[in-house]
Amino acid sequence: ISGGDNSPEGTQQGIRGEYHAGLALDDLRLTRIDTTLTFDWGSGSPHIEIPADNFSIKWVGFIHVGAADRYRFAMNRKLLYNLQIGGFSFQRTDTSLGADSHYVDLSEGNTPLRLEVFFADQNASFNFRIEENGGLRDLTVNDLRY
């Protein structure tokens, strides 16, 4: 990954999203830089080139934190997803459980982040959030790098 203006990897704010038709991440329709990992498309879709159901998204970049610590990341929906943050990896293959969260030790600065999310129905919304100062908040452009 390199920055949009040929900047060194991890210096540009946002995260690269690759939007695919279908659930196999093999029919790329759109690539863009997203400034958050919180979306609510409702019964719609993220873009005219993407179907309203049966689509998938892969985000690749970095999570940026100002201090080394243990951070909690939370997914608010019953989605199928694959998550990699640095050396931590998780694959959710069962949607019968509720929302979940993961504790990850991060060093100060940038840590590689890869999140793949699969939408099989027409309720395309989710929040992937970080816990900070005892409360969950949306990841923003200040937390994400590519």
Side-chain angles (χ1 to χ4, degrees):
I1 302 171
S2 63
D5 60 358
N6 296 320
S7 300
E9 181 178 71
T11 61
Q12 297 295 303
Q13 290 183 316
I15 191 164
R16 186 180 76 195
E18 299 173 358
Y19 291 73
H20 296 260
L23 301 177
L25 292 170
D26 63 358
D27 187 2
L28 182 64
R29 300 291 180 94
L30 171 71
T31 300
R32 70 181 186 195
I33 303 304
D34 290 321
T35 58
T36 186
L37 290 174
T38 296
F39 295 95
D40 187 357
W41 297 295
S43 61
S45 90
H47 188 269
I48 194 166
E49 295 293 321
I50 309 296
D53 59 354
N54 291 315
F55 68 92
S56 50
I57 307 168
K58 175 174 65 175
W59 286 280
V60 179
F62 300 89
I63 181 79
H64 179 84
V65 295
D69 205 345
R70 173 166 277 197
Y71 291 87
R72 182 169 73 104
F73 294 89
M75 179 72 76
N76 74 321
R77 281 208 51 229
K78 299 177 183 182
L79 290 173
L80 300 178
Y81 68 93
N82 300 322
L83 171 64
Q84 294 176 330
I85 302 176
F88 175 83
S89 182
F90 177 80
Q91 181 178 28
R92 183 167 191 165
T93 59
D94 182 358
T95 60
S96 65
L97 304 173
D100 55 9
S101 63
H102 312 282
Y103 288 90
V104 182
D105 293 320
L106 298 179
S107 300
E108 179 180 350
N110 293 338
T111 299
L113 169 66
R114 179 181 178 126
L115 176 62
E116 301 169 347
V117 180
F118 306 92
F119 296 93
D121 60 33
Q122 290 188 344
N123 185 9
S125 67
F126 79 100
N127 294 5
F128 184 68
R129 306 176 88 193
I130 187 170
E131 183 175 9
E132 186 174 70
N133 300 322
L136 285 171
R137 68 170 180 79
D138 292 342
L139 290 164
T140 70
V141 68
N142 297 320
D143 306 304
L144 302 168
R145 302 282 190 275
Y146 70 98

